[in-house]
Amino acid sequence: MLSSCAATKPKNAFEYYTLPDSPNYALPENWAAWPGKKDLADTTPLGLRDQQQISQADVFFIHPTSFLNKRGHDQWNAEINNSKVNQITDEGAIQYQATIFNEVGRIYAPRYRQAHFEAFFTEDTASARKSLLLAYTDVKAAFDYFLEKENQGRPIILAGHSQGALHMIRLLQDYFDKPDSMRNKLVVAYAVGWPIPKDEFRFLKACEYPEGTGCICSWRSFKMGHKPKHIKNEAEVIITNPLNWKTTEDYISKEFNLGAVLDGFDKSPVIGMSGARIYKGILWVDKPKFKFSFLYPFANFHRGDLNIFYMNVRENVKTRLNSFWR
């Protein structure tokens, strides 16, 4: 209650605020994850290993929103050096999402002038659009730096969640969805937690089986049986079941869930957490059980989109990279 009373959000139009300084991506401190520096992308749940330094691919990870309705979060875009926002990013998305990929690739996760959480709910759509565009200019600049200075022709895995997935759509269009693009370098794109219309791309397609490469996986997780109102009017979207990596509507039982990571990194992933099935444009998921889960009142499992299927994604990206090399 006290937290909600202290909540802040942008009260004026985008033009009212002075833009935060643009980041210099030659500086490792402007990356939430960077190979060679110690960061939370190097951690693993009990029993797993970080193998970035001997990996054969690169992972470009775009983190979700961590600029929230908290005290002091009262502009449309976050400053790169906001320590509290960066802490939320690092202890949340970097540790619990980006680490999924540290067995197969070096992880590059830029800090960027992310749009405020309110950008997704405000009636001031002009300000929201401008703040999201500013955020994407940073993501694009970081990707350009990564390509020019770091990648050296290695296969690329893209991963992003929520706001990160939204920016990934634009990144895919700009770099991978053209006749003369880098599509042959793309192992897979995991764009999770944001709806992607099936007709969004000219050449890129949804992944339809576990070994596919150069394709897109996407899902949004809701409690089994819940029917969000928005899907009635939503365009047909890319939707993947991460338990079998297909686009069919069969229910896949929790026996195929290789391990969820919800309660911390001091224990092993929990096998058999939840089953799942595709329902129209969303993924229905059996409610996961974790510490105090009985107090979780929501049917939207957005925060757990990747974590409920942590080991399935970790294993699948290895499968797709092996297929890429073949």
Side-chain angles (χ1 to χ4, degrees):
M1 187 183 299
L2 290 174
S3 175
S4 104
C5 289
T8 57
K9 58 187 178 182
K11 295 180 175 62
N12 299 291
F14 179 84
E15 291 78 10
Y16 176 86
Y17 301 98
T18 301
L19 295 182
D21 292 337
S22 59
N24 177 1
Y25 287 112
L27 303 176
E29 59 262 34
N30 288 335
W31 296 77
W34 176 269
K37 82 166 186 175
K38 187 175 178 60
D39 52 56
L40 286 175
D42 307 333
T43 59
T44 58
L46 189 65
L48 304 180
R49 291 190 299 169
D50 168 29
Q51 301 194 81
Q52 291 182 70
Q53 299 309 314
I54 60 171
S55 64
Q56 297 179 312
D58 287 341
V59 178
F60 190 83
F61 178 83
I62 312 172
H63 69 74
T65 309
S66 49
F67 192 39
L68 309 167
N69 281 333
K70 293 183 178 291
R71 186 181 295 277
H73 295 187
D74 57 355
Q75 301 185 62
W76 282 107
N77 293 83
E79 297 177 342
I80 292 295
N81 60 356
N82 186 317
S83 60
K84 292 184 178 179
V85 171
N86 291 346
Q87 182 179 5
I88 295 171
T89 300
D90 296 350
E91 295 179 358
I94 299 304
Q95 183 170 15
Y96 280 87
Q97 296 179 339
T99 55
I100 291 173
F101 306 97
N102 65 18
E103 188 176 9
V104 296
R106 304 180 302 190
I107 299 176
Y108 295 84
R111 303 199 189 282
Y112 61 99
R113 290 173 293 179
Q114 59 180 287
H116 192 281
F117 180 72
E118 181 68 12
F120 300 99
F121 302 98
T122 182
E123 295 180 359
D124 184 357
T125 55
S127 290
R129 185 170 57 252
K130 292 172 185 176
S131 67
L132 287 164
L133 178 59
L134 180 66
Y136 176 70
T137 62
D138 286 355
V139 171
K140 186 176 187 294
F143 193 68
D144 284 336
Y145 183 87
F146 156 76
L147 288 177
E148 181 181 354
K149 302 293 185 180
E150 292 290 317
N151 178 244
Q152 299 179 339
R154 288 157 60 99
I156 297 172
I157 297 156
L158 295 178
H161 182 242
S162 197
Q163 183 174 165
L166 173 61
H167 297 315
M168 190 196 299
I169 295 172
R170 185 87 177 266
L171 200 71
L172 286 166
Q173 290 170 329
D174 286 347
Y175 292 88
F176 298 94
D177 195 44
K178 300 175 181 178
D180 56 348
S181 68
M182 303 187 302
R183 198 159 66 254
N184 64 337
K185 292 181 61 177
L186 180 64
V187 178
V188 62
Y190 298 97
V192 181
W194 191 266
I196 305 175
K198 282 189 174 181
D199 61 358
E200 189 73 28
F201 303 102
R202 293 178 58 196
F203 301 102
L204 295 171
K205 304 295 182 184
C207 298
E208 295 185 345
Y209 53 95
E211 301 84 9
T213 62
C215 54
I216 302 166
C217 296
S218 182
W219 63 90
R220 293 167 292 162
S221 307
F222 292 86
K223 184 179 178 181
M224 189 70 68
H226 179 67
K227 299 179 181 179
K229 294 180 180 178
H230 65 267
I231 67 172
K232 295 179 181 178
N233 302 314
E234 192 174 71
E236 195 172 2
V237 299
I238 293 173
I239 178 72
T240 316
N241 188 331
L243 294 183
N244 66 354
W245 300 104
K246 296 182 179 181
T247 58
T248 56
E249 294 191 355
D250 315 73
Y251 173 72
I252 308 300
S253 75
K254 64 182 181 181
E255 296 173 4
F256 291 87
N257 190 311
L258 302 178
V261 177
L262 299 172
D263 281 337
F265 269 44
D266 57 345
K267 57 192 74 174
S268 300
V270 179
I271 298 172
M273 176 69 77
S274 300
R277 62 160 292 195
I278 291 171
Y279 172 76
K280 295 187 177 180
I282 62 173
L283 186 70
W284 273 352
V285 180
D286 297 324
K287 185 176 180 178
K289 292 182 172 60
F290 52 92
K291 190 175 182 181
F292 302 123
S293 62
F294 65 93
L295 296 175
Y296 189 82
F298 307 110
N300 188 339
F301 298 157
H302 182 70
R303 291 187 65 183
D305 278 326
L306 285 163
N307 300 97
I308 295 171
F309 309 103
Y310 189 100
M311 288 303 300
N312 290 79
V313 181
R314 191 174 176 91
E315 290 300 313
N316 180 251
V317 71
K318 288 193 294 184
T319 297
R320 294 187 194 273
L321 182 59
N322 289 337
S323 180
F324 177 91
W325 286 122
R326 287 197 302 272

